[in-house]
Amino acid sequence: AELPGAETFYKQAVAAGCLATCGHSNASWTEMLHAYNAGMRHVDHFWCAMSNVRSVRDRFKEPMQGSMAEFVLMYPEMSTEVIADGCHLSAELLEFAYRMKGAQRLCLVTDSNRALDMPPGEYKIGPRDTGELLISNGRVGIMPSGTGLASSVVGMDHRVRVMMAQTSAGLVNVVRMASLTPAERTGVASDVGSLEVGKQADVLVLDTALHVQRVFTSGVEFSWN
């Protein structure tokens, strides 16, 4: 939102029918407001690679200003995501995000890379040959320097289990945040996101521990063999 041309980009994206989002940004409240007025309504993975009061203060000094976090929490039209892998965010932050935004404005996001469900080791984010190196410990991606996290290495089913175990959202709302809510926010809910007549019939069957047992794509069961 703080980059030159951002407002023009948002206006053109919205005019084209896209959900205009903001992420990996050190935007101030004022910059977020300009983006909002241009049609931006979503920010990526809350708290991760997102401006805060301290980072905005480092840019503008005094007085202290609001950041992306405060903006998203104050405006009910704004939606966001949480990386609920048990490594990026603590239980209280997951609970806080759910209580503040609710199941209709909070999405679960994988933020995963090619190390998804793979053995621990070195992998690349982005292009296989020229992408940035990360190290997977089997739980989460880590920058080679060890100074920060680098994406996620577990899938959406893992996030559903974490949100169920660590928040008060309950199964219906947790499943909504993993399915219907992101479908609504991206404008594809008429085809996917819930079990309704005329939709695509992409279905997961889970056991009582919320582990995937069966997978259907467009009504056809996927074979594990």
Side-chain angles (χ1 to χ4, degrees), residues 7-8 26 34 42 53 56 60 65 71 91 111 113 124 132 185 200 204 219-220 223:
E7 289 184 62
T8 299
N26 195 25
H34 288 314
H42 184 87
V53 171
V56 174
F60 298 105
Q65 301 179 40
F71 191 90
D111 197 54
N113 56 71
K124 292 285 186 68
E132 189 173 0
R185 301 306 292 144
Q200 192 165 299
L204 293 180
V220 178
S223 175

Side-chain angles (χ1 to χ4, degrees), residues 108-178:
L108 303 187
V109 64
T110 63
D111 197 54
S112 293
N113 56 71
R114 60 170 51 88
L116 171 67
D117 290 337
M118 297 294 287
E122 293 186 352
Y123 297 88
K124 292 285 186 68
I125 296 179
R128 188 180 301 274
D129 297 327
T130 60
E132 189 173 0
L133 183 68
L134 71 92
I135 298 172
S136 169
N137 61 11
R139 298 176 58 248
V140 71
I142 303 171
M143 298 298 294
S145 63
T147 57
L149 299 183
S151 189
S152 179
V153 300
V154 293
M156 185 60 76
D157 59 325
H158 183 96
R159 279 143 180 74
V160 167
R161 293 191 292 272
V162 169
M163 285 297 286
M164 273 295 295
Q166 297 189 3
T167 75
S168 64
L171 183 59
V172 172
N173 284 327
V174 169
V175 170
R176 190 190 209 287
M177 290 185 282

Side-chain angles (χ1 to χ4, degrees), residues 9-11 13-14 18-22 35 38-43 78:
F9 171 81
Y10 285 133
K11 289 177 180 178
V14 171
C18 300
L19 172 65
T21 76
C22 178
M40 184 273 300
R41 290 294 184 274
H42 184 87
V43 299
M78 290 295 300

